[in-house]
């Protein structure tokens, strides 16, 4: 087979990962610190969206008052994943996140399959969240007397703003995400504080999180499902390696801080929400009003103004989530192009902004096409468009974590590094056990996740798309180039 190296790849190969940037290589520029990366990845997790969405669902259809403990368990598993993930960071010099690790630890074909699977997972999730954003903004504006409009009209407005912001340097998006994230976190913490200082709800403070009987009550597997999905996006810290200051230190610190912050925030806030409504009635209340549980509780403890604020911030939280995933998807396109797998122009950064502007435009075209298709096919924005695409992302997310964990073990088996046994083997194995369990739970509950009663065409299509993406990766790489990813 005849292969060629693109100019961008050749320049990279000549300069090396740690070499000074050559003129004209069009590499990304940025000076993201720990805080900026944390803002981007935590915004992708959409903390307010989680407290207003998956948390009421996890309480209603999972393990009720024991749900906060589920977040603690999932956080522990993901921290075990982070131990190996961050230990391998100094030895994985590429900014490709999952696929760079899998390429180095398992092999090039698996790495490319992982890259295409990750790209699919992030793209469909970004598109799917527009199915929440459009109706959410419409509902918000209707509450202020604005006439109702089709959901995709507001989705189009958000799409244009995201596309413009992502075209410029990542630091602009980082500043926007910081403002939005701070706002949504403050309102939830204000609710938490109001519940605590008022002595809890009608039954005082909930103790279900510490009661083994409550933790395993109901459907704990379903609770784990929603808890795992609430963390999607945290692993993207490594995607911003090329734009980070001192990435060998910044990436691990950002990963740990993001994980711990998200886990603690979810556990405390879900506990406060349960306490505010009463432990004995929370399941019934959440089941009947899961879409408005957070807003109703906020209005009860923070007044009408607080209720309005949280409605606004819920919409901005969705926007922040979309913007974060747009930036992540864009950098996957850029990184693959830099290595000759995708068209070379996608791997050229903007000469002025130092951003992956061309890759961002391609991402925008794909997202725009998906949203337009949903509008033309008249799909229900939440019950179909969001849930179907969210199902793809959910299965893909955990599968990618599993592959990356196996890859980390492989990296340290192939090469001798001065890394402790705990970091290179024990913690990754424990994480692998937990992730495999979570993956089995997600597959078992996939029909419920996509609003179906049993396995059917939608569920099989989700699994088939991920398999196809994984297979297409190495095929494209075979015909495009043999340049190594790392």
């Amino acid at each position: 087979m005849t292969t060629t190296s693109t100019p961008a790849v050749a320049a990279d190969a000549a300069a090396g990962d740690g070499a000074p940037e050559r003129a004209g290589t069009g590499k990304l520029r940025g000076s993201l610190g720990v805080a900026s990366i944390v803002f981007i990845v935590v915004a992708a997790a959409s903390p307010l969206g989680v407290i207003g969405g998956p948390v009421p669902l996890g309480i209603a259809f999972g393990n009720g008052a024991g749900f906060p403990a589920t977040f603690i368990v999932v956080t522990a598993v993901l921290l075990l994943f982070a131990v190996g993930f961050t230990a391998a960071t100094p030895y994985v010099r590429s900014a490709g996140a999952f696929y760079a690790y899998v390429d180095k630890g398992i092999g090039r074909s698996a790495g490319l399959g992982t890259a295409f699977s990750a790209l699919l997972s992030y793209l469909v999730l970004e598109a799917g969240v527009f199915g929440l954003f459009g109706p959410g903004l419409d509902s918000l504006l209707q509450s202020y007397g604005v006439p109702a409009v089709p959901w995709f009209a507001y989705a189009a407005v958000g799409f244009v703003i995201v596309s413009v912001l992502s075209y410029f340097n990542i630091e602009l998006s980082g500043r926007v995400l910081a403002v939005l994230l701070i706002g949504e976190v403050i309102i939830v913490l204000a609710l938490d504080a109001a519940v605590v200082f008022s002595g809890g709800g009608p039954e005082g403070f909930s103790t279900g999180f510490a009661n083994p009987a409550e933790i395993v009550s109901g459907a704990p597997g379903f609770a784990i499902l929603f808890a795992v999905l609430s963390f999607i996006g945290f692993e993207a810290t490594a995607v911003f390696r090329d734009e980070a200051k001192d990435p060998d230190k910044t990436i691990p610190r950002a990963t740990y801080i993001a994980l711990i912050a998200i886990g603690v925030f979810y556990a405390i806030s879900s506990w406060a929400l349960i306490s505010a409504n009463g432990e004995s009635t929370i399941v019934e209340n959440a089941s009947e009003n899961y879409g408005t549980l957070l807003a109703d509780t906020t209005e009860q403890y923070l007044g009408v103004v607080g209720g309005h604020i949280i409605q606004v911030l819920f919409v901005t939280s969705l926007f922040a989530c979309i913007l974060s995933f747009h930036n992540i998807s864009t950098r996957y396109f850029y990184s693959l192009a830099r290595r000759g797998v995708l068209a070379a122009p996608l791997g050229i950064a903007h000469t002025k902004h130092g951003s992956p502007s061309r890759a961002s435009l391609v991402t925008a075209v794909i997202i725009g096409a998906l949203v337009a298709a949903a509008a033309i096919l008249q799909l229900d924005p939440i019950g179909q468009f969001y849930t179907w695409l969210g199902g793809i992302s959910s299965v893909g997310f955990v599968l990618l974590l599993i592959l990356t964990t196996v890859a980390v073990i492989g990296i340290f088996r192939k090469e001798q590094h001065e890394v402790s046994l705990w970091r290179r083997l024990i913690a990754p194995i424990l994480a692998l056990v937990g992730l495999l369990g979570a993956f089995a739970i997600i597959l078992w509950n996939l029909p419920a996740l996509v609003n179906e009663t049993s396995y059917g065409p939608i569920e099989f299509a989700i699994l088939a798309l991920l398999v196809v993406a994984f297979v297409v990766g190495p095929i494209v790489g075979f015909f495009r180039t043999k340049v190594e990813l790392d």
Side-chain angles (χ1 to χ4, degrees):
M1 180 186 65
T2 301
T3 62
T4 58
S5 296
T6 64
V9 176
D12 275 0
D17 284 316
E21 180 183 339
R22 289 178 176 267
T25 59
K27 297 183 73 174
L28 297 182
R29 298 192 304 273
S31 56
L32 295 175
V34 173
S36 296
I37 295 177
V38 168
F39 278 130
I40 292 171
V41 299
V42 173
S46 186
L48 180 57
V50 167
I51 301 303
V55 166
L57 290 172
I59 293 170
F61 306 110
N63 53 354
F67 190 55
T70 311
F71 278 124
I72 297 173
V73 172
V74 172
T75 301
V77 171
L78 295 180
L79 282 172
L80 288 171
F81 166 83
V83 169
F85 184 69
T86 57
T89 297
Y91 312 108
V92 181
R93 312 304 300 181
S94 300
F98 283 142
Y99 83 78
Y101 286 76
V102 175
D103 171 71
K104 191 172 182 68
I106 300 177
R108 184 173 185 274
S109 294
L112 288 170
T114 300
F116 277 66
S117 298
L119 193 51
L120 171 66
S121 298
Y122 290 130
L123 285 170
V124 297
L125 186 58
E126 179 190 345
V129 176
F130 274 111
L132 296 178
F133 175 80
L137 183 54
D138 181 44
S139 177
L140 172 65
L141 294 180
Q142 282 190 59
S143 69
Y144 290 100
V146 178
V149 300
W151 70 272
F152 49 81
Y154 289 126
V157 173
F159 167 78
V160 171
I161 298 173
V162 166
S163 300
V164 171
L165 287 173
S166 300
Y167 186 85
F168 297 101
N169 189 280
I170 184 64
E171 292 174 29
L172 175 60
S173 291
R175 287 192 288 270
V176 172
L177 290 171
V179 172
L180 298 179
L181 181 62
I182 289 171
E184 62 181 280
V185 168
I186 286 176
I187 189 65
V188 176
L189 291 180
L191 173 61
D192 295 346
V195 172
V196 170
F197 288 115
S198 66
E203 302 171 11
F205 295 121
S206 171
T207 59
F209 71 94
N211 185 343
E214 288 283 357
I215 295 171
V216 299
S217 66
F222 211 65
I224 291 174
L225 167 66
F226 281 107
V228 170
L229 303 187
S230 301
F231 284 86
I232 292 181
F234 87 88
E235 76 296 336
T237 50
V239 172
F240 301 97
R241 181 183 183 89
D242 288 346
E243 297 152 284
K245 293 185 294 187
D246 193 4
D248 289 346
K249 293 182 180 179
T250 301
I251 300 304
R253 290 173 183 171
T255 302
Y256 280 119
I257 291 173
L259 258 181
I260 294 172
I262 293 171
V264 171
F265 180 83
Y266 288 162
I268 292 176
S269 298
S270 59
W271 167 81
L273 193 63
I274 293 168
S275 296
N277 287 272
E279 192 170 298
S280 65
T281 59
I282 185 59
V283 172
E284 180 182 0
N285 195 2
S287 300
E288 295 176 355
N289 308 291
Y290 61 82
T292 60
L293 183 65
L294 177 60
D296 293 344
T297 305
T298 303
E299 188 169 331
Q300 178 185 348
Y301 281 83
L302 299 180
V304 175
V305 173
H308 284 297
I309 290 174
I310 211 158
Q311 281 183 297
V312 173
L313 291 177
F314 180 76
V315 174
T316 61
S317 172
L318 296 174
F319 176 83
C321 177
I322 292 168
L323 179 58
S324 294
F325 280 113
H326 190 97
N327 279 304
I328 294 169
S329 300
T330 293
R331 278 148 187 81
Y332 265 88
F333 276 121
Y334 172 86
S335 186
L336 286 169
R338 294 293 290 183
R339 286 152 185 82
V341 179
L342 298 180
L346 298 181
I348 299 175
H350 195 285
T351 53
K352 179 180 178 181
H353 305 301
S355 63
S357 53
R358 299 181 184 186
S360 180
L361 290 175
V362 170
T363 302
V365 169
I366 295 172
I367 299 303
L370 289 172
V371 175
I376 293 170
L377 295 173
Q378 298 184 341
L379 298 181
D380 181 272
I382 300 175
Q384 294 176 315
F385 187 53
Y386 170 72
T387 56
W388 292 352
L389 297 189
I392 297 172
S393 182
S394 303
V395 177
F397 170 66
V398 180
L399 181 60
L400 294 169
L401 290 177
I402 291 170
L403 288 170
T404 305
T405 304
V406 173
V408 167
I409 297 172
I411 289 171
F412 290 118
R413 283 180 63 85
K414 288 181 179 180
E415 304 177 27
Q416 295 298 319
H417 298 293
E418 294 182 0
V419 177
S420 68
L421 182 65
W422 164 253
R423 298 185 71 196
R424 72 174 187 267
L425 186 62
I426 298 175
I429 287 177
L430 292 175
L432 185 60
V433 172
L435 291 169
L436 287 171
F439 189 62
I441 289 170
I442 287 177
L443 291 181
W444 182 263
N445 293 281
L446 185 58
L449 181 63
V450 297
N451 206 25
E452 300 284 334
T453 56
S454 61
Y455 264 86
I458 299 300
E459 290 74 19
F460 288 118
I462 287 172
L463 299 178
L465 280 171
L466 287 166
V467 171
V468 168
F470 193 87
V471 172
V472 166
I475 293 175
V476 172
F478 178 81
F479 286 105
R480 284 287 300 172
T481 181
K482 277 191 174 181
V483 175
E484 292 301 316
L485 294 180
D486 188 16

